[in-house]
Structures are given as C-alpha cells and as structure tokens.
C-alpha cells in the first residue's frame, strides 16, 4: 500500500471529514424537519413558494443532498484515516 | 497564607555551610528548587571569584561534550533520552569525568584526522584512475595529429627541424573553473597550447568538507620548456592537481592496474576506520545525555558557590537566600541530607533575618493555574503580598473572551481542540519542543479549553451556531394569525408583541435569545441595545470588584487611612454614577413591557440630564417617582467624593509627620534604606505592619523624614484622583468592546455561511450534493482560519486588555519581582 497524501494533509482531511459528517448529517435532519431558519438556504424561486408541496419537496431534496455529502465524507474520512496509518507506519520503517 | 490569593510569605535566610559540606548542600538545594540565592559579592569580577577554576573546568567539559554531540549528530546516530535525572556528582568524580571526556575527544580528533588523510589519498588515486582512463583517447588522437603536423613541417623544409615532440601535462580541475582556465591558457600562451578535457561523471568527495564536487580531466599539449613552465604555473593558480602520466600505452595500463589495487586497499582501510569511528560514537551516544546533565549541574553548583561569602575563620561559607516560610522544614531536611552525604560532622545552620528589602513574590501554581498566572505576570509581577488577580482571572478571562466570541459551534471546535491537548498532555510534552507557535498553543491548553467551554455557553445565550439559531424550546412568537393576503402583499411583516396572538404575554423563550430574531430584519438593532447594556453591566461589576480588592490590600497592609479616604470615595464615585446607570438599566428592563415601551425614556438622555440638572416637565419622562431628588443627591455625593480623594490622605500624612510617628504608607514596602550589614540576624516573625524602630545612629533616617514634602504628596494624590475619575468614564466606555467584537464575530460568521456554504446548498437537484462536497472544505478552512484563529486571537487580546487596564488599574500595583529559585529542573528546561 502506498502513501498518496503526506502526514499533515491526511490529518487535515480526517478532521474535516469528521466535522463534515456531523455537520452535514445534522443539517440534513434540520432540512427534513423544514426548519424555517433554513428557508433562505433552499434553492427555491419566488414562484416555487406558491405551493406548499413544492417547497416541502425542495426541503427534502436539500436534506438528501446533505446526507449524500455526509456519505461522501465518510469515505473521505476512511481514506484519510488509512493514509494517516500509512504515514505513521512509514515513519517507523525509516527510523 | 499558602494560597494563590497572595504571595507566599518569604523570608531572608542566612545559611552557614561547612566548606566540605557546601557542595553537597547546594546540590540538594538545587534538586529541591525552593531557594533563591543572593549575590554576596556583587563587585567582584567573574575572574576573581573563589571557584573560578572549577567553573573553567566545567566549561571545558561542556565544550568537549558539545564537540562529541556534534560528531554524533553528523554521523546520524540517534541520541537516546532515557529521561533519567542523575544527581550532581561529587567533586572527586569530576576528575574522572574530565579524563573520560579528554580521552574521547582525543580519540575522535585522531580518527578524524586519519580519516581525512586517507580520504585525500583516496581522492588522488581516484583522480589518477580517471585520468588514465580518459587520456587514452586523447593520446590516440594526438599521435594522429603529430603525424599530420610532422608531415606539414617536413613539407616546408625548416632549417632547424627538430623532431616535434609535444610535451603534455595531465591533471584534474574543478568543473566550474574549467572555462576560465581554458581562456587563461589561451591568452597566456598565445594559443600555442592545446587543451583537451572531458568530464568525470561521478562526483568526487572533497576530503575536508565532505561535499561532492564535479571535476574534469584535462590534458594540455605544448612544445618547449617555456610553455611548460607557464602552463604549470597557471595550473597551480587554478588549483588543478597535476599527475604524472606515462607516455606509452603499456606503461599507462600497468599504472592503471596498480592504481586499482591501491584503491581497493585504501577502500578497505577507509571502511574499517569508518566502522571504528561509528562504534566509538555509538558508545558515547548512550551516555551523552547523562553527561550533559551532570556537567551542567556541576557548573550551576559552582556558580552558586561563587555567590557565597567566605567566613572570617575561612572555615565556612555564608549564603543569603530568599525562601518561602512554609517550606523551611524541607530546606532544613535538604541541608541535613547534604551534610550527611558529604560526611561532614558539623551541621549546617539556617538563620532567618529581617530586612527592609522587598522580598520576591512567589505564587504556588500547578499546571492549570500557571497559565493564568503567566498572563497576569506578563503585565507585572505582583508586589509582595499584594492581592493576586490570577484566581479571579481563571474565570473572568474566559468569560469575557466568550462574551466577545459568542458562537457555540466555534466554541465547540475550540473546546475540543483544548480537550485533545489536555488529554494527550504527557505525550505532547515529550514530542515537540522546538516549534515556537505550537509551544504557545500547548502552554495555554487549559485557557483554550476554558475559553471554548465558556463560548459554548454564550453561544447558547446568543443562540448562535455557525450563525444559525437553534429552536430548542419553541419560539414565543407566532405567525399563525397573520392573514394570507398580508403575506402576499407585503415583503416584510411587522410583528407587534402587543398582540396576544403574535406574542404570548409573559412567556419568553426560556434560555437565550429567541430563534425568531435570526430571521428578523431588525435583529442587529435589537441585539445592539441588549449587548451594549450587558457590556456596561459587566464592566461596572468588574470595576467595582476591583475597587473592593483594593480594600483588601489596604486592610492587609494595615493602612486604615487609605481604607477610609481612598476606597470609600472611589467606590461611591463609581457606584453613584455608573452603578446608578446599571440600576436604571435593570429597572427599565423590568418596569416597562411591550404595551408602554413607546413611552419609556431614553437612559442616555436621563444620564446626561442628571448631570445638567435638567428635569423634564411631563410625568411620563420620569422612570420612577422621586427620581429628581434622588438623582440630585447622587450627583452631589459623587462630586463630594472628589475632594475627599484629593485631600484627606495628604492631610493625615502631614498630621502624622508633625506628630513624629509614621503610620501612613505611600506605595508598597519601602526600599532598603540601610546596608546589608544592618540586617539583624534575629529569629523573629516578619511583620509588615509597624516599621522597626529607627537605628540609633539614624541621622540618615531623620533626614528622610525632614524632607517630607506636602506638595509632592498633593500632586501624587491629585494625579491618582484625576486618573481614577476620568478612568471611570473611559473604562466604562471601553467595555463596549464586548459588544463590538461579538457583533463583528456574528456578522463574519453570517457572511461566511451566506457566501460560502450557501453556494453549495443553492443548487437544484443532485448537483447540489456535488457542489456542497467541494464547497464544504473551503467553508471549514475559512472558518478555522478567520473565525477561530483571527477572531479568537482578537478576542483574546481584547479580553486581556480589559483585564490588564480596566480591571487591574483599580487595585494592582505590580511592582514586585519574581521569585526565581535555584533549581536544576528549571536549568535543564532552559537548555532544552
């Protein structure tokens, strides 16, 4: 197995992944319960606001988006963690 | 008095040490790290002190050790740090150590010189080998050319046709010098020499520096002796090494074979030398840490011994040191241990002395409190036995930071960072000691942890998580009864809290700011009022607390005049004006609700009118009945405090001076008036209250008293009064930075969300997921860089300033000096 990222990049990637998973996961939940504070963050035009159902659908789509992102970051996190292991092992071998 | 509130009680002690036992006793005291020695020979040159020879020997030992360390590092051998802490060896062992180091150094030097000579030899042989190889082709060409030229000359029938024998020299030169060399040859010999050169592919190792240099082989053909000498001189100038190269190919081949054998032999010898050197260094590397520690300890002990005085009988050494009273037992024990170790029969004596000098300030801190104490000490070390602001700073500093930082999401990240550092304390302490920035962050890990924790709390109060609010308890505002036409018609709807359907009366959001404010257009207007008032309240509270601490100081130093004439007027002045302002802030919050809020008088106008003695006509503009009379009373009281602050204390001082007894203190403990010889070596308790009776031949003392200058006292007092009064106003306004920074932080956070993360969330369909994946790391990095690091440092700095200037100016003098004990631990840390 080989090292692609250096030690610092892999640690950064790992931390950002953890943060991304938690934050995007929670954000997804908040989109799902249609929090009014996130009203400005959904990709809806003025015309969309006429129908309640349409806005609900957009909220749901945003929620799914957030969870997809969280899922992607799970993989990024695993990859970064794996790289961290490779890097620390390489350190032992050299010394 | 052993707490963080005031300095430990310190005493000046005199140590009488037997000459034989002195070394061991100082060693024990160094391990203990509780005494600070005074220099009893201040006017003696460093070279005239008693133990200068020993110090010189220690310096020599350290130099040898440094040389060894450098060699070990150059060879790439890891120096193992077992963490063991050997005791300082007795003086007789020093000779053994010196011998060992001397032997090692000589061995290393010998090995190095030999290696150098061998390498030089090797280099020469290698160059010769290359020459022999490369010049083969040159000679073949040359023989062809010689035949050509010979043919030409014969054709011309020169009268003195000597056989044209071209002489040559062969050598090696640095690649960089070659072009200049060629040009020089051409010019000097007027083009009558012929140079051929090729490069040596592998770089050769320079024996002295160990660098790899590229060299070229050259061969110069010339005719005649003059040219030969000229060529040789030029070669010398360019530091090209010339080698004797045989002319016939057969000889060259023989030489080449000989050179190869010699090279092989030399290589074997070099390898063996290298191995031997490596072995010596490895064995040295095992012990070098321990040796360093021992050498440094010995040197430290001898430096300390140099500070001592030799007794008249020349039999014992006298030392003077500052030590904490509470630890006298431990010091006695250490002295006893030292005397036992040295095998001396006479015990060492510790005598307490009284002195007029200000003792050093010593606060006993642990790893948690030391960071906060360091913050306070950066401004100024507390005067001896003054109130130490550090225990209060532990709570107020992170709190004020959090008021300015105020975001629970960022606070969480900061708290987690602090937590990680605290959890992995031991590991991180052993790991990285070199990086300066990291050392600062790691040293303040407890501060960071507390700041983060408090920020989570204030984040909940401001209801701010990465600039979004959380609706945990259910908002108290409701849009349920707003008609649909109104929503369609207007862009912005005004929610009137008076209407019951919109805002349920007397049921506010239980904890923190109502989440609906996050969506309101007038959020900032509302929050401004709230945050400004809160800042002023916190400011006045902290300043009054500071003034109360000054009372604690006056009572400790037994200064009743100050307690009455300074503390009470100061407190009254602050409370009458700004305490009253805080009171009416609270009153206005409580007494006015949504129905009559339009009638509420402005607090700022009220305060201004209070001082202008301007009172409104209509009853509505009064906050409460009897306001007029009360305010007039407060203003008169505050104004009356000012002459109290100006005149009472100088008056008492003048009166006391007239009656001959000095009970008034100005400033802190008086600096030493008499010489060291006058300190009485009597065992008595250190009493800060009454001055000891003036010495019998106290002509100098009386002179001081007669020069009592009432004018100077009045000016001093006037400056302090003006400083205090104006300071009250400016410091109260200064606390408004709590509002300003929290506003800035909230706005930055909002901008970051709406400009960065919003882009990702704003795409329709599944594209949004892709974009968000790319945008999120940018959001994360910018949050950490701008909001955590930049804003964090900014809030840290401002909270620090609030403490140092606004809080501490009310009671803190900070004119002390730090207690720096003689400790081996501190010494080793310094060197690392």
């Amino acid at each position: 197995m080989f090292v692609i990222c250096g030690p610092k990049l892999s640690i950064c990637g790992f931390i950002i992944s953890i943060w991304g998973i938690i934050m995007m996961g929670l954000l997804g939940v908040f989109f799902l319960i249609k929090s009014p504070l996130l009203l400005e963050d959904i990709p809806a035009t003025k015309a969309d606001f006429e129908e309640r159902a349409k806005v609900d659908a957009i909220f749901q789509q945003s929620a799914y988006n957030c969870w997809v992102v969280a899922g992607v970051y799970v993989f990024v996190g695993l990859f970064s963690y794996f790289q961290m292991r490779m890097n620390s092992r390489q350190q032992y071998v050299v010394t | 008095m052993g707490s963080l509130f005031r300095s430990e009680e310190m005493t000046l002690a005199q140590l009488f040490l037997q000459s034989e036992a002195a070394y061991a006793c100082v060693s024990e005291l160094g391990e203990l790290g509780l005494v600070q020695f005074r220099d009893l020979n201040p006017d003696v040159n460093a070279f005239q002190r008693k133990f200068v020879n020993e110090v010189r020997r220690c310096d020599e030992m350290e130099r040898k050790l440094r040389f060894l360390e450098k060699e070990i590092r150059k060879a790439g051998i890891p120096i193992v740090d077992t963490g063991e802490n050997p005791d300082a060896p007795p003086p007789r062992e020093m000779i053994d150590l010196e011998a060992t180091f001397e032997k090692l150094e000589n061995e290393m030097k010998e090995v190095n010189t030999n290696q150098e000579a061998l390498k030089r030899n090797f280099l020469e042989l290698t160059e010769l080998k290359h020459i022999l190889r490369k010049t083969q082709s040159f000679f073949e060409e040359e023989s062809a050319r010689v035949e050509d030229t010979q043919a030409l000359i014969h054709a011309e029938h020169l009268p003195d046709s000597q056989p044209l024998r071209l002489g040559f020299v062969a050598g090696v030169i640095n690649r960089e010098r070659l072009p200049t060399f060629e040009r020089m040859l051409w010019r000097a010999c007027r083009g009558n020499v012929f140079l051929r050169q090729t490069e040596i592919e592998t770089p050769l190792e320079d024996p002295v520096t160990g660098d790899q240099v590229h060299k070229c082989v050259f061969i110069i053909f010339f005719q005649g002796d003059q040219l030969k000498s000229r060529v040789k001189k030029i070669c010398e100038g360019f530091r090209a090494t010339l080698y004797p190269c045989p002319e016939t190919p057969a000889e060259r081949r023989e030489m080449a074979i000989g050179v190869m054998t010699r090279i092989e032999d030399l290589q074997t010898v070099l390898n063996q030398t290298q191995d031997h050197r490596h072995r010596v260094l490895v064995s040295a590397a095992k012990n070098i840490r321990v040796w360093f520690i021992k050498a440094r300890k010995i040197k430290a002990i001898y430096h300390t011994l140099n500070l001592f005085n030799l007794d008249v009988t020349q039999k014992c050494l006298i030392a003077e040191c500052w030590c904490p009273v509470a630890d006298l037992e431990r010091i006695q024990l250490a002295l006893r241990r030292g005397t036992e170790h040295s095998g001396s029969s006479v015990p060492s004596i510790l005598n307490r002395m009284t002195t007029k000098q200000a003792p050093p300030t010593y606060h006993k801190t642990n790893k948690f409190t030391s960071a906060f104490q360091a913050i306070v000490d950066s401004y100024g070390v507390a005067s001896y036995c003054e109130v130490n602001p550090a225990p209060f700073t532990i709570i107020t500093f992170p709190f004020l930071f959090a008021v300015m930082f105020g975001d629970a999401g960022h606070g969480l990240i900061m708290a987690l960072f602090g937590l990680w550092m605290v959890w992995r304390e031991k590991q991180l302490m052993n790991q990285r000691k070199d990086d300066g920035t990291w050392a600062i962050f790691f040293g303040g890990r407890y501060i960071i942890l507390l700041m983060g924790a408090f920020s989570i709390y204030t984040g909940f109060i401001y209801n701010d998580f990465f600039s979004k609010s959380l609706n945990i308890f259910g908002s108290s505002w409701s849009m349920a009864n707003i008609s649909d036409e109104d929503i369609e018609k207007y862009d912005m709807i005004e929610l009137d809290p008076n209407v019951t359907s919109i805002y349920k009366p007397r049921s506010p959001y239980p904890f923190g700011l109502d989440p609906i404010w996050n969506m309101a257009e007038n959020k900032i207007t509302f929050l401004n009022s709230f945050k400004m008032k809160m800042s002023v309240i916190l400011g006045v509270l902290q300043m009054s607390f500071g003034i109360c601490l000054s009372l604690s100081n006056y009572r400790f130093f037994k200064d009743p005049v100050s307690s009455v004439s300074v503390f009470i007027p100061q407190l009254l002045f602050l409370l009458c004006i700004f305490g009253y302002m805080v009171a009416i802030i609270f009153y206005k919050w409580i007494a006015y609700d949504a129905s009559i809020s339009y009638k509420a008088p402005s607090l700022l106008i009220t305060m201004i009118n209070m001082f202008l003695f301007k009172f409104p006509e209509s009853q509505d503009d009064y906050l409460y009945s009897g306001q007029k009379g009360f305010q007039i009373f407060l203003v008169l009281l505050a104004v009356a405090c000012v002459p109290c602050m100006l005149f009472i204390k100088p008056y008492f001082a003048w009166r006391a001076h007239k009656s001959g007894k000095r009970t008034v203190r100005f400033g802190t403990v008086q600096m030493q008036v008499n010489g060291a010889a006058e300190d009485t070596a009597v065992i008595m308790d250190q009493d800060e209250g009454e001055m000891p009776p003036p010495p019998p031949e106290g002509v100098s003392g009386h002179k001081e008293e007669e020069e009592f200058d009432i004018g100077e006292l009045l000016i001093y007092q006037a400056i302090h009064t003006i400083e205090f009064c104006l300071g009250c106003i400016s410091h109260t306004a200064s606390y408004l930075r709590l509002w300003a920074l929290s506003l800035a932080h909230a706005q930055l956070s909002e901008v970051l969300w709406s400009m960065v993360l919003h882009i990702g969330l704003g795409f329709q369909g599944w594209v949004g997921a892709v974009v968000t994946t790319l945008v999120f790391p940018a959001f994360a990095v910018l949050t950490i860089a701008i909001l955590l690091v930049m804003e964090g440092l900014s809030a840290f700095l401002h909270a620090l300033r609030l403490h140092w200037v606004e809080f501490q100016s009310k009671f803190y003098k900070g004119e002390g000096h730090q207690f720096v004990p003689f400790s081996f631990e501190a010494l080793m840390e310094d060197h690392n």
Side-chain angles (χ1 to χ4, degrees), chain A residues 57-72:
Chain A
I58 295 181
F59 263 116
Q60 214 177 39
Q61 178 64 34
S62 293
Y64 292 154
N65 277 350
C66 285
W67 283 331
V68 165
V69 175
V72 169

Side-chain angles (χ1 to χ4, degrees), chain B residues 75-93:
Chain B
I77 303 171
I79 298 180
V80 69
D81 190 0
T82 54
E84 116 184 38
N85 189 13
D87 281 336
R92 54 181 175 277
E93 210 183 292

Side-chain angles (χ1 to χ4, degrees), chain A residues 25-89:
Chain A
L26 284 175
L27 208 55
V29 170
F30 291 136
F31 271 122
L32 203 63
I33 62 176
K34 297 188 268 286
S35 156
L37 292 169
L38 291 171
L39 204 61
E40 294 164 344
D41 287 318
I42 55 169
T45 58
K46 193 127 200 275
D48 293 329
F49 280 110
E50 300 296 319
E51 289 172 36
R52 185 65 188 272
K54 197 126 186 260
V55 174
D56 286 352
I58 295 181
F59 263 116
Q60 214 177 39
Q61 178 64 34
S62 293
Y64 292 154
N65 277 350
C66 285
W67 283 331
V68 165
V69 175
V72 169
Y73 275 110
V74 168
F75 287 112
V76 174
L78 285 174
F79 172 71
S80 300
Y81 183 70
F82 175 63
Q83 289 296 309
M84 268 166 62
R85 285 274 144 186
M86 289 290 117
N87 271 306
S88 55
R89 207 175 293 170

Side-chain angles (χ1 to χ4, degrees), chain A residues 8 15-21 23-24 27 30-31 35-46 48 50 58 61-62 64-66 68-69 72-73 76 95, chain B residues 413 466 468-471 488 491 515-516 518-519 753-754 757-758 760-770 772-777 779-781 783-784 788:
Chain A
K8 288 189 186 148
I15 295 179
I16 293 186
S17 308
I18 302 275
W19 182 356
I21 296 170
M23 186 160 163
M24 283 295 139
L27 208 55
F30 291 136
F31 271 122
S35 156
L37 292 169
L38 291 171
L39 204 61
E40 294 164 344
D41 287 318
I42 55 169
T45 58
K46 193 127 200 275
D48 293 329
E50 300 296 319
I58 295 181
Q61 178 64 34
S62 293
Y64 292 154
N65 277 350
C66 285
V68 165
V69 175
V72 169
Y73 275 110
V76 174
T95 350
Chain B
I413 298 176
F466 294 111
K468 297 283 170 196
S469 299
L470 276 186
N471 188 359
E488 298 248 350
D491 265 339
I516 196 163
N518 199 288
M519 300 201 297
W753 181 285
S754 61
L757 204 55
H758 185 78
L761 300 170
F763 278 87
Q764 298 230 1
W766 296 105
V767 185
V770 175
T772 313
T773 322
L774 300 169
V775 158
F776 182 77
F779 173 75
V781 167
T783 300
I784 293 186
L788 277 171

Side-chain angles (χ1 to χ4, degrees), chain B residues 657 662 698-710:
Chain B
H657 160 67
R662 294 191 58 190
V699 181
S700 53
H702 277 301
K703 256 220 197 84
E704 296 260 343
E705 309 236 5
E706 277 167 21
E707 281 177 31
F708 177 85
D709 189 2
I710 188 77

